[in-house]
Amino acid sequence: MDDFDRRAFADLFKAVVIKCFGHPLSEPLSEPESKHLSNEIEERTGLVIGWKSVKNYAAYVLNPASSKQENPSIATLDTLARYVLDAPATSEVERKKVDEHFPYWFRYREQVGPLPKPDVRQNNQTQSRLRVISAGLVVAGLIGLFLFFRQSDLAQLQEDFHTTDESYLKQNGWFLQDKNAQFWNRRAEKSNRLTLFTLKGDNWPKTGEAPRVQNLLLKEIQDDCFYTEIHFNDFVPDSNWQQAGLLLLEDTLFTGKSIRLSLSYNNYFGGYVKPGEILIQAIAAYGKGHANLEEFVHQPLFQLANANDQRIARTNLKNFAFRIEKQGQKFRFLYSASPVDNFSFKEVTTHEFGMTPKYIGLFALKGFVDTTTAMPVTVRYFRLDGQRCE
């Protein structure tokens, strides 16, 4: 693309962002935002622009002087213009037949107008401004370098579980506790996913039972402040006490403090007759010697009174995610549930708890019961990012 086409492209992409999000492009698009915009374009135009391309275009438009140059095809530019100009939805095959000359891009391009001619009389003023800007950029660069090195020692992990080979997991800092070989050998049962099972066990104390969580996949937490996410596919618990989620631990023996966040099933109402429910539960344990745990979240999501309720639950739990943010002793808990995989998070609660977790665990369990089946739990994504403590 020449300079004029690049300017037209930047103008067009900014218009796309405003149309989709209702505000100007002021910072790079996140992965969920990029996926949302990609889906929105496909829904409105019938044509596809991948979310990674959308993310890269946003970064380029915000910083066109970067070393990484973007060169979208005319077909992509036409798709963006179709979105902005509310063109009728089509398909790639139909566009090749009817609009092979990409009319919407050239129509939008004509609206941008020619590049402005330089004003010679302003050269001296421009040079003075450039000197001031250059000095400012040097200062900004030094600040940026300081912040970069300040952040560089924070641990970061993103795991999509496209491979669940034990050597790979070990190499990336994972380790398994209380191995049940029969079910652990089925961890790759679903392609490009990690499959856990709601096995017998619990970290909730029970008389006569030692706390245990079979096939608990653990990773060490290296930073005091952090945020973490876990994403599930099609996990719809239907019997007591099937559940899966995240477990924060001070130690791996269940003797220290812990927090458990899970998507769970419940049909025990202390003698009252009510439909079973799927809920978000969060409990805090104070460690060895404290038999009573603190349930600080018990938020029903779906009541399962009939077949229609069950259908709604299955639809909305196609994609489910948890997010935990920790700053000092303050924990923030969020969740997302949707038929699509890029739905927004909603806050459940914040909770003050004097705990410094050293490990995070991915778990599935069913409590100390034998009658409930071992249900598969599909994990498609995990993230753990260290944060500076404010």
Side-chain angles (χ1 to χ4, degrees):
M1 291 193 297
D2 58 22
D3 289 342
F4 176 68
D5 282 343
R6 291 188 187 282
R7 184 164 71 94
F9 163 58
D11 185 270
L12 173 59
F13 192 83
K14 290 175 182 176
V16 167
V17 171
I18 290 175
K19 184 179 178 68
C20 180
F21 298 105
H23 59 76
L25 179 67
S26 58
E27 58 185 16
L29 296 180
S30 66
E31 180 177 326
E33 289 171 331
S34 301
K35 288 181 177 180
H36 174 71
L37 179 51
S38 174
N39 291 336
E40 177 78 2
I41 290 171
E42 182 177 3
E43 184 177 325
R44 295 288 187 90
T45 67
L47 305 167
V48 177
I49 300 178
W51 71 266
K52 290 184 179 179
S53 295
V54 168
K55 195 172 190 298
N56 292 338
Y57 294 158
Y60 170 75
V61 169
L62 286 169
N63 184 21
S66 65
S67 58
K68 181 172 173 45
Q69 297 292 310
E70 294 296 333
N71 191 27
S73 65
I74 295 182
T76 296
L77 295 170
D78 186 68
T79 300
L80 294 172
R82 282 173 171 271
Y83 176 74
V84 170
L85 297 174
D86 293 318
T90 184
S91 65
E92 289 294 354
V93 174
E94 188 67 20
R95 178 162 66 174
K96 277 193 172 184
K97 290 180 182 177
V98 180
D99 293 326
E100 191 176 5
H101 56 298
F102 305 115
Y104 290 94
W105 158 240
F106 289 104
R107 183 191 308 175
Y108 189 90
R109 185 176 180 273
E110 289 172 4
Q111 298 175 6
V112 175
L115 287 166
K117 294 181 179 179
D119 188 344
V120 178
R121 292 172 298 178
Q122 294 183 357
N123 278 350
N124 291 336
Q125 292 178 351
T126 301
Q127 290 174 6
S128 298
R129 288 173 185 158
L130 286 174
R131 283 193 290 270
V132 173
I133 291 170
S134 297
L137 289 174
V138 170
V139 174
L142 291 173
I143 294 172
L145 284 172
F146 169 74
L147 292 175
F148 172 79
F149 286 111
R150 189 168 178 261
Q151 293 286 337
S152 61
D153 60 336
L154 296 173
Q156 292 186 332
L157 171 72
Q158 294 188 59
E159 182 61 72
D160 58 14
F161 296 109
H162 281 189
T163 176
T164 56
D165 181 77
E166 285 190 331
S167 61
Y168 168 83
L169 293 173
K170 184 177 180 180
Q171 181 182 345
N172 283 274
W174 295 100
F175 61 100
L176 192 68
Q177 181 166 293
D178 206 340
K179 182 176 181 179
N180 181 318
Q182 176 188 353
F183 286 95
W184 180 245
N185 291 340
R186 296 172 60 185
R187 65 189 179 278
E189 203 163 71
K190 192 164 185 178
S191 178
N192 296 325
R193 298 287 189 267
L194 169 69
T195 300
L196 300 175
F197 291 85
T198 55
L199 302 179
K200 183 177 180 179
D202 209 329
N203 69 314
W204 191 300
K206 182 180 179 181
T207 303
E209 298 281 3
R212 67 178 302 205
V213 178
Q214 297 187 70
N215 290 344
L216 175 61
L217 190 60
L218 290 161
K219 183 169 182 61
E220 187 176 357
I221 299 173
Q222 299 180 20
D223 302 289
D224 181 48
C225 298
F226 59 86
Y227 78 85
T228 183
E229 290 181 18
I230 187 169
H231 295 240
F232 300 105
N233 282 143
D234 300 309
F235 175 51
V236 188
D238 59 13
S239 304
N240 276 347
W241 305 93
Q242 290 172 339
Q243 59 189 281
L246 293 171
L247 188 58
L248 301 178
L249 298 165
E250 285 187 335
D251 62 67
T252 60
L253 301 176
F254 304 109
T255 59
K257 294 178 181 178
S258 65
I259 290 178
R260 188 180 82 193
L261 177 66
S262 59
L263 180 69
S264 178
Y265 178 88
N266 173 54
N267 64 4
Y268 176 74
F269 301 101
Y272 292 95
V273 179
K274 294 183 180 180
E277 62 185 11
I278 296 175
L279 70 146
I280 295 172
Q281 183 189 58
I283 60 171
Y286 290 84
K288 190 174 182 180
H290 296 267
N292 294 330
L293 279 62
E294 177 187 358
E295 184 184 38
F296 60 91
V297 173
H298 186 112
Q299 180 172 315
L301 294 181
F302 305 100
Q303 284 197 335
L304 307 177
N306 51 51
N308 187 55
D309 288 348
Q310 295 169 9
R311 179 189 61 79
I312 292 172
R314 283 195 302 271
T315 299
N316 286 281
L317 290 175
K318 184 172 181 61
N319 295 280
F320 185 86
F322 279 128
R323 179 176 177 135
I324 303 176
E325 301 171 359
K326 180 183 183 293
Q327 275 289 331
Q329 295 186 2
K330 183 178 180 180
F331 293 82
R332 184 170 180 243
F333 302 89
L334 306 95
Y335 82 97
S336 173
S338 173
V340 298
D341 66 358
N342 60 343
F343 203 62
S344 59
F345 279 96
K346 299 176 183 177
E347 182 176 284
V348 181
T349 191
T350 58
H351 187 65
E352 295 276 348
F353 191 51
M355 171 192 176
T356 302
K358 298 299 183 184
Y359 303 93
I360 184 166
L362 282 54
F363 78 91
L365 58 85
K366 62 176 183 177
F368 293 108
V369 294
D370 295 309
T371 54
T372 301
T373 60
M375 174 179 282
V377 179
T378 302
V379 184
R380 71 174 180 87
Y381 179 76
F382 172 82
R383 179 170 188 153
L384 176 63
D385 281 16
Q387 301 287 294
R388 288 291 171 191
C389 294
E390 297 174 358

